[in-house]
Amino acid sequence: MKRNFLYLLIFVLVIIFTAEMIGVQSVQLGSISIGILPLVFAVLITMALGLKVFRKGFWKKIYSESNINFSSKYLLFIMLPLMARYGADVAPHIREILSIGWVFIIQELGNLGTVLLGLPVAILIGLRREAIGATLGIGREGELAYISEKYTLDSDEGRGVISLYIIGTLFGAVFFSVFAPVLLAAGIRVEALAMASGVGSGSMMSAASASLVASMPDLQSTILAYASASQLLTSFLGTFTMIFLAVPLQRFMYKLMTGRQKQ
């Protein structure tokens, strides 16, 4: 176990060093400049090395079942310093944030978009009970815990939420790092995009806010403060929004569109 942990630590340090060496790269799409961050390169490199063709020798030890289980089990401890950083970013702007606090609360209703928009699409492409797990939020830890407790992960609903969780883990940070500057170039205010970055996923928030900072470095403190405050509020209110608003709405829409009563 100690040897596997050492391999894992070396691997993480190599990935971080490689991503930082690549640095921030810009891709020009017409009038839109998209900054590709080291975080995105780290995710892409890790994904590529996880392919079966590379799982030989040293890489096979890195992607061993014990390392994978260890990483998933102790991910929370890695996220704790990030949560502390959120608080440090929010503190200098606390008065400004409190003055528009109601906006942060109202934006929580945006979490219902996965049900309002995602559920009809999921049913349209042929999903049924899998759609229940796949459209209840963005498939992070809160939704995963709720679905696993109510239905178990071996159920159709469980397969839906775990599929979304995996997709979000693999591609979420990459998508948000590209999507945020595209919306900024479309004319949406940077404060609004910073608030929208706090979707309940640390990696997605970091990717989106870092892309915004790369585009507007003079507003770095404001962007990070708004994004961090939104992330903290989403982490706190997200469960209540899901249970008291998203679940009843999803149950009603599912029955309406399929004629079946969700258990």
Side-chain angles (χ1 to χ4, degrees):
M1 178 62 187
K2 291 183 178 179
R3 180 176 294 181
N4 284 343
F5 176 74
L6 180 61
Y7 287 146
L8 184 62
L9 179 61
I10 294 173
F11 174 70
V12 170
L13 293 176
V14 169
I15 293 297
I16 292 174
F17 178 77
T18 303
E20 289 296 332
M21 286 290 292
I22 296 174
V24 179
Q25 301 294 323
S26 296
V27 176
Q28 197 71 28
L29 298 177
S31 60
I32 300 175
S33 179
I34 299 174
I36 309 298
L37 306 170
L39 171 64
V40 176
F41 289 115
V43 173
L44 293 175
I45 293 171
T46 306
M47 288 168 54
L49 293 177
L51 295 175
K52 190 175 181 180
V53 66
F54 293 113
R55 292 191 186 182
K56 300 176 182 178
F58 178 75
W59 300 120
K60 187 176 182 179
K61 297 177 182 178
I62 291 296
Y63 288 92
S64 65
E65 185 176 352
S66 60
N67 275 344
I68 293 173
N69 292 335
F70 175 87
S71 300
S72 61
K73 183 178 180 180
Y74 293 102
L75 178 63
L76 175 63
F77 294 99
I78 299 175
M79 300 300 293
L80 289 177
L82 182 60
M83 296 297 290
R85 172 63 187 272
Y86 292 165
D89 288 333
V90 170
H93 296 266
I94 190 65
R95 290 188 176 180
E96 180 183 353
I97 290 171
L98 290 176
S99 68
I100 57 170
W102 64 273
V103 177
F104 285 92
I105 296 176
I106 292 297
Q107 76 147 0
E108 288 302 308
L109 297 178
N111 291 335
L112 301 178
T114 57
V115 176
L116 292 171
L117 302 177
L119 185 62
V121 173
I123 292 176
L124 183 64
I125 63 176
L127 298 181
R128 285 297 180 262
R129 300 189 67 84
E130 296 88 349
I132 296 171
T135 62
L136 189 62
I138 63 170
R140 294 296 89 197
E141 284 74 12
E143 292 82 10
L144 192 67
Y146 176 84
I147 294 295
S148 64
E149 286 293 324
K150 187 172 180 62
Y151 302 101
T152 77
L153 293 180
D154 290 330
S155 63
D156 292 337
E157 294 85 352
R159 282 187 285 274
V161 72
I162 199 66
S163 297
L164 191 67
Y165 184 84
I166 293 172
I167 291 172
T169 300
L170 294 178
F171 302 108
V174 177
F175 174 81
F176 273 83
S177 67
V178 173
F179 195 50
V182 169
L183 293 179
L184 181 63
I188 298 178
R189 290 186 59 177
V190 68
E191 294 87 352
L193 291 175
M195 291 171 58
S197 299
V199 295
S201 167
S203 60
M204 295 180 194
M205 188 282 289
S206 299
S209 58
S211 294
L212 294 174
V213 168
S215 299
M216 304 190 71
D218 53 320
L219 294 177
Q220 176 177 350
S221 62
T222 299
I223 292 170
L224 294 179
Y226 276 50
S228 299
S230 177
Q231 177 73 7
L232 289 173
L233 195 61
T234 299
S235 300
F236 175 69
L237 295 179
T239 300
F240 297 99
T241 304
M242 175 183 65
I243 293 175
F244 295 110
L245 294 177
V247 169
L249 177 62
Q250 188 187 59
R251 182 180 295 116
F252 170 77
M253 291 181 60
Y254 183 83
K255 182 180 179 181
L256 182 67
M257 288 185 285
T258 65
R260 303 177 185 179
Q261 179 67 48
K262 191 178 85 168
Q263 299 297 320

